[in-house]
Amino acid sequence: MSHFTVWAPERERVRLALGPAVHDMTRDDRGWWHAEIPGTGDGTDYAFLLDDDGRALPDPRSSWQPAGVHGPSRRYSHDAFDWTDDAWTGRALPGSVI
């Protein structure tokens, strides 16, 4: 089960678009909208629908926008990435530009 959130304090209604399916989200008292959706994990594309506008908008906090900044966001877990740079020690400070 995945938890989706977006901050939209000025909106009356926010929905989550997952492919052709649309799910209503619940607003808390701080303007955050939430939805718990089963069966959604890494690689799931999603977007938000604000009020009665049918235009799907990407997550402004998304880590992955495979279709560009105007396309849907995609769930991504940084913990799932297999890092291979354990031996890298960084660059020496002398001669560097800061």
Side-chain angles (χ1 to χ4, degrees):
M1 182 163 314
S2 293
H3 188 78
F4 295 86
T5 60
V6 66
W7 189 63
E10 302 296 320
R11 299 301 177 162
E12 296 297 319
R13 179 181 184 203
V14 177
R15 293 168 293 150
L16 175 68
L18 294 168
V22 176
H23 305 271
D24 287 323
M25 299 182 78
T26 305
R27 185 184 190 276
D28 69 18
D29 60 350
R30 295 175 298 155
W32 285 94
W33 294 81
H34 306 271
E36 292 270 346
I37 309 297
T40 55
D42 290 347
T44 300
D45 288 348
Y46 67 100
F48 298 109
L49 303 167
L50 305 179
D51 293 329
D52 293 324
D53 190 344
R55 185 177 29 154
L57 300 172
D59 186 344
R61 300 182 305 152
S62 174
S63 298
W64 192 6
Q65 293 296 127
V69 298
H70 300 292
S73 302
R74 184 169 292 167
R75 304 272 310 177
Y76 177 76
S77 173
H78 292 283
D79 295 335
F81 185 78
D82 187 20
W83 292 96
T84 60
D85 60 351
D86 293 337
W88 189 66
T89 60
R91 294 187 48 113
L93 187 57
S96 297
V97 176
I98 297 179

